[in-house]
Every structure is written in C-alpha cells, then in structure tokens.
C-alpha cells in the first residue's frame, strides 16, 4: 500500500481513498498501525475541522430515515457529510447498524456524502479508537459534518459523546411513562432532543412528548457552556422533513456560541485528554494479553485454584513482574 | 497491635478480637496490610470452612427482619452465624445497610452471632477485597455460617455471588408486571428465590408471585452443578417465621449435593482464580496512582490538551515507561 498516494487521495476528498484509509485504521496488524499513524500524522497539518455531531436513538425511532433526510438537506446546502457508526453490538452481526446502505439510498448515492458502517470489533475500546481515527480521516478529507451514529447499547453513548462536539438524542413520540424509559445519563449529555415522527396521527402525542421532555430538560442543571434555552427539545419528522432545518439552525447556533466563548476548543482538549487516559488504562490491561504474561497468569491461576496461593499474594507476584522492574532502561 | 494475641483471640472465636481483626483488614495503611496478611496466613492452617450464603434484595423487602429471624433460628440450632454487608453505596452514608444494629436487636445480642456493618469504601474493588478477607476471618473464628448481605446496587451482587457458596434472592410478594423489575442477571445467579411477607393479607399475592417466579426460573437453563428442582422459588415470612426452616433445609440439601459431586470445592477454586485476575487488573490500574506516574500522566495530558501529542502517542509513551522497562531486575 502506498501511503503517500493514499494521503493524496484522502486530502483530495476522494471517497474510495477515504474508505481504504478507514479500513487501514480498523486493522490491528502492527504494520497497518504504523501506516495508519503515518497517515493521520500526515493529514494533521491540513488543520481541517468538521462539526462532529453524535446521534443516538433506540431501534425503531427512525434513525436511518432521519440521517437520510437530514444528510440530504445538508448536502443540498453545499455541505459535505460523513456518517460513521459506533455499534459495539456488531461483534456478532458484523455491523447491524448502517450495515445496509440501501436504508439510506439517496444519501449513499450522493457524491457529497460518505457512509461507513460499524466494523466488527471485539471490544468498545477498539471501536472508540477506530472511530476517533475515522473522524480524523473524514476531517482530513475535507468533510464539513461528521455524523456519529450509535444505537446506545451499553457504554456506546459515552464513547460517542466523548468524540462529538454536539450530542443529539432522537426519541419516539411518546411521553409520560415513557419518559422513565430513557436512561437518565443520556438526557444529561444531550444538547438537543429531537422527537421524531411528528407527522399524521402522531403530531398530538409527539407534541405532548416534546413538552414532557422540555420540562425534564428544564429540571436539569443548566450547563455553563450553554446559551439560554439549551439543552432543547424539538419536534421533527424525518418522513415529511418538518423541523429538520430548524434543528440544524439550533445546532449551528449552539456550536457558534461555543466557538465564540472558547468552549468548543476547550471541549476538544478535554476529550483528547480523556482518550489519552483511556488509552493508557486499556494499554495496561492489554499488557496482560502478552504471551509471557499470559503463561505466568495461567501458572499463578492454577496455584490459586489449588489453594497454594491466596488471590492477593498471587496477584502481587504478577504485578511485581509487570510493574516493579527497577529503574527504566531507556 | 499484637498480631499473635489477635490471632489467638480470633481463632478462639472471640467476637471483640474478630471485630478488631476486620478493622485491620479494612485499613489501607501499608503496615496494616502487612499485619492483615500475616493474620490471614496464620489462620489458614486451621482449615476452618463456613457455608457462605450471599443474600440480596431491594430495600423494603424485609432483609433485616429476615436475617434476624433466620439467624436466630440457626443460632438456636447451635450454629454460629456471622453477618457481613457489601454496600458500595455506603461511601456517602458511611454504611447505610446494617449500620443500625438495632434493626437486628435479638441477633446482635446473641453470643453465637456476629454482625458487621459495611465499611465506607471508595470503590467496589476495595469493598470486595475487604469482604473476602472478613469472610476468611469469620471462618478462622469458627463461624459455621457467613451471611453476606447486599442491597444489589450496581455490580455488588456480582461481587457477593463471587464470594458466596450459595446465592439467595429475597423478593417482595408481587408478581406479574413486577417480574420485569427484577434484573435478569440476578435471577440467573440465584440458587434460591424467597418470596417474603407471605403472611396476613399478602399470602395470596405472595403465592401468585411465587408461582410466577417458579415459572420464570423453570424457563432458565438448568445448571449442571444443580440437582433437580434448583434454582427454586419458595414462600417465607420473616415476621411469622413460616418457611424459614424449609428454606434452610433447601440450602443444606443444595450445598450437600454440591459437596458430594465436587462442585463445592471446584466453585471456590474458580472464585479464587476470578479474584486473582481481578486483583491483577485492579493493581495495574492502581499503578497509575503512584506519584511519579501521576506527574508523567499530568505532563503528557497537558501536551495532549494543547494538541502537541495525539492521545495515542502520548499513551504509548506512558505505557512504555510503565511496562517496557527491559528485563526484570529482581
């Protein structure tokens, strides 16, 4: 693989080169990792920056329809839109969300759009790293908007929120008791709550749900980085395309404000530090997978099972060989 | 502190010595850790073993009343009973469950019983280690039964299940929809489900709930280590003491079976290995708290925030100093 040529393709905005580059960052092969790092480092001096929008919603809420309609609206306005998926559950299905591009037929054929399904990954840490690097590639390829979609299984919303500049929660038109069903944590990280399917018979329940969510959001502590009125609940219909332009206006208003008060850059700095600390933790635990450590662990584990060693003293022995090797050699 | 004297006191079954020893294992001071390890190592040759019973139930289900009645029944039968609490939520309250021994007035005054509230701990790992060591001390003190109570917040049931020989779930007399409220995970680890408050007006709903839970348990995969009929749902009333003897009969029947087929010892061996691996993971992450590592992390973190280093390359640098120090020196 010619990294120089790939870099040229990506920076020229070529979608095939971008797809190839993302495949490269998804690989865990050591030589691929070296190339991926070189590629990302080579793109950084371009200093291209997209607006990163995290989008979460439970299955059935109409995420694909929303992304199709919202994405086409943005490309029609001259913006280039990339869509990435974070789906830790795709380990089994091989990419259950966005796996089928035909669900976004118009957007996937749009030359100003790029859609990438979630890869099969064994753990959330791997998905997070790959997604951050894929976002970097999309920015290097000159995309204006990167939509990062998640179904919100387990911790994936937290991952997406820590990658995004804005976090949008898409909800079904049901309020009252249903409000309880929404995880408290996700309401707290949402900048914008969009109640979808506000069309036909569902206008009335969607309006009630919107009022309920707006009330719930008002009860939450106002965040200092936000202008008045945020986080906000709004009605949209991906089907009839009602409310999409208004939702986009709110997103740009919020990100413009955050740029003005300096929060936008600060937020990215905090995210970078978070990922640094996560990478260290994950790297430490991955150290346990090295073959010599695994065999030492297996041996000590057997002694613990036999009762020859307590769990604590066996663990101390392993930690000693892992961490306390005397002064650094390099 | 005289460890020799403390060990004599604990092994003689003295409750004040046991309380003092548990305070010692709860301490994180380095010299206390050394003494705690010496104490536990000194007690191991006695090879005393209690039946460790994990007990979980949501607040209001009558756990205290149950433990009081069940514990008094066991001490009346000549058994010595220790009660320990695992309550990660007690960080704030300073021990919200079992904090008030007067809730178990009879049992706490019983010379054959020992009740220990949950300590204030900052993390579940610390609670788990302390509880395992406290169980070891209670066994060294010759107790026949160790009841390990948890409110079931977060991951605490998993901790208790990984310490216990048997896991008992105490439930309120409500079925149908309420069934949905029980976390699926906890039903899967329960050996015995006890529907409490089967007295007065609640006999009928408790009976229906018991049938519902029995049905739910039948739907679950039978575990190979269990005899026919387990996991089992039963009616009890801690208030009128109905069903307590029958519940105890089932517990002894199950543990006798497991001893006979060899699963009892095997289960403890698997638990010991689990805790060994947990200790290694936790110890690795605690390595990040060492002062020189913290200052290196802070420095690298600032470089990441400024954008001078990517999260990945900064993490690689830290991991290199933590893990790749060349061949071991000792």
């Amino acid at each position: 693989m010619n990294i120089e040529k790939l870099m040229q393709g990506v920076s020229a905005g070529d979608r095939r080169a971008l797809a190839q580059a993302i495949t490269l960052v998804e690989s865990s092969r050591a030589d691929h990792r070296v190339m991926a790092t070189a590629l990302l480092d080579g793109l950084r001096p371009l200093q291209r920056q997209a607006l990163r929008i995290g989008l979460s919603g439970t299955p059935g809420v109409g995420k694909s329809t929303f992304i199709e309609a919202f994405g086409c609206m943005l490309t029609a306005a001259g913006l280039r839109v990339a869509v990435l998926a974070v789906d830790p559950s795709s380990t089994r299905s091989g990419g259950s969300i966005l796996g089928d591009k035909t669900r976004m037929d118009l957007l996937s054929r749009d030359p100003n759009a790029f859609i990438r399904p979630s890869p099969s990954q064994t753990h959330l840490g791997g998905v997070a790293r790959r997604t951050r690097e894929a976002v970097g590639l999309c920015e290097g390829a000159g995309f204006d908007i990167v939509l990062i979609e998640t179904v919100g299984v387990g911790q994936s919303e937290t991952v997406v929120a820590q990658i995004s500049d804005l976090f949008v929660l898409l909800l079904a038109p049901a309020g009252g008791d249903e409000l309880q069903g929404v995880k408290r944590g996700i309401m707290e990280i949402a900048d914008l709550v969009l109640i979808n399917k506000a069309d036909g018979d569902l206008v009335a329940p969607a309006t009630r749900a919107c009022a309920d969510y707006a009330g719930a959001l008002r009860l939450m502590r106002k965040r200092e980085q936000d202008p008045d009125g945020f986080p906000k609940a709004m009605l949209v219909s991906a089907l009839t395309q009602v409310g999409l332009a208004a939702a986009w206006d709110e997103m740009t208003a919020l990100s413009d404000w955050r740029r003005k008060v300096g929060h936008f850059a600060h937020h990215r700095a905090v995210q970078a530090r978070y990922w640094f600390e996560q990478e260290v933790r994950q790297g430490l635990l991955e150290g346990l997978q090295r073959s010599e450590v695994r065999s030492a662990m297996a041996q000590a584990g057997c002694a613990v099972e036999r009762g020859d060693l307590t769990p604590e003293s066996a663990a101390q022995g392993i930690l000693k060989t892992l961490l306390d090797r005397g002064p650094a050699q390099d």
Side-chain angles (χ1 to χ4, degrees), chain A:
Chain A
M1 200 182 297
N2 186 330
I3 283 295
E4 203 53 47
K5 211 177 145 196
L6 190 58
M7 200 180 305
Q8 279 168 16
V10 171
S11 59
D14 178 57
R15 294 191 296 173
R16 279 181 65 177
L18 177 58
Q20 217 181 328
I22 294 180
T23 303
L24 185 67
V25 303
E26 282 171 1
S27 168
S28 53
R29 259 176 57 184
D31 57 332
H32 286 173
R33 289 306 309 154
V34 172
M35 285 193 277
T37 305
L39 181 59
L40 286 160
D41 286 347
L43 290 168
R44 280 179 71 213
L46 297 176
Q47 295 203 297
R48 290 175 178 166
Q49 210 178 57
L51 180 64
R52 306 171 184 170
I53 304 173
L55 180 73
S56 182
T58 45
V61 78
K63 270 198 307 301
S64 300
T65 318
F66 175 82
I67 293 172
E68 165 103 331
F70 188 69
C72 286
M73 181 189 77
L74 296 177
T75 57
L79 295 164
R80 298 185 66 221
V81 179
V83 183
L84 303 171
V86 172
D87 181 12
S89 69
S90 69
T91 317
R92 269 180 307 174
S93 64
S96 64
I97 60 173
L98 287 174
D100 185 6
K101 282 194 192 178
T102 57
R103 289 191 300 143
M104 300 182 200
D105 191 36
L106 283 173
L107 195 62
S108 64
R109 285 186 284 118
D110 190 321
N112 284 319
F114 174 82
I115 300 180
R116 180 76 177 196
S118 187
S120 300
Q121 285 283 352
T122 45
H123 56 82
L124 197 57
V127 173
R129 189 187 299 167
R130 164 265 172 195
T131 306
R132 282 182 291 126
E133 292 182 340
V135 168
L137 293 171
C138 292
E139 293 189 324
F143 281 85
D144 303 293
I145 315 282
V146 182
L147 269 172
I148 310 150
E149 178 197 4
T150 180
V151 280
V153 179
Q155 296 297 307
S156 66
E157 284 126 349
T158 312
V159 168
V160 171
Q162 290 286 1
I163 295 174
S164 309
D165 300 315
L166 298 177
F167 195 83
V168 177
L169 178 61
L170 204 63
L171 291 175
D177 287 350
E178 293 291 321
L179 198 60
Q180 310 298 322
V182 177
K183 283 191 286 180
R184 191 174 153 73
I186 196 170
M187 286 291 276
E188 282 172 355
I189 57 175
D191 295 304
L192 208 56
V193 172
L194 300 180
I195 291 87
N196 194 21
K197 302 190 184 177
D199 46 56
D201 288 351
L202 292 172
V203 170
T207 307
R208 279 196 305 274
C210 188
D212 288 350
Y213 285 114
L217 290 172
R218 269 193 301 274
L219 288 177
M220 283 164 28
R221 194 169 55 91
K222 186 181 175 301
R223 292 171 296 194
E224 59 182 49
Q225 70 268 31
D226 288 345
D228 287 340
F230 284 94
K232 193 169 278 190
M234 299 176 74
L235 288 173
V236 295
S237 165
L239 191 70
T240 64
Q241 293 166 36
V242 166
L244 298 184
W248 173 238
D249 286 345
E250 296 294 345
M251 292 181 212
T252 49
L254 183 59
S255 61
D256 287 350
W257 164 281
R258 287 185 181 169
R259 280 184 215 271
K260 207 180 76 184
V261 300
H263 179 74
F264 196 91
H266 174 71
H267 189 223
R268 286 208 174 180
V270 169
Q271 289 179 332
R273 189 175 196 133
Y274 170 86
W275 287 115
F276 156 61
E277 289 171 359
Q278 286 292 110
E279 288 281 335
V280 171
R281 282 195 200 91
Q282 201 185 315
L284 274 178
L285 297 179
E286 278 170 6
L288 297 177
Q289 300 305 317
R290 294 206 317 262
S291 61
E292 76 276 19
V293 178
R294 283 170 68 174
S295 67
M297 286 280 288
Q299 210 175 344
C302 289
V304 168
E305 284 192 357
R306 283 194 306 270
D308 296 344
L309 282 173
T310 64
E312 290 73 24
S313 57
Q316 288 310 316
I318 294 290
L319 290 168
K320 207 171 155 61
T321 61
L322 275 173
L323 294 174
D324 294 336
R325 288 175 170 178
Q329 305 269 305
D330 49 342

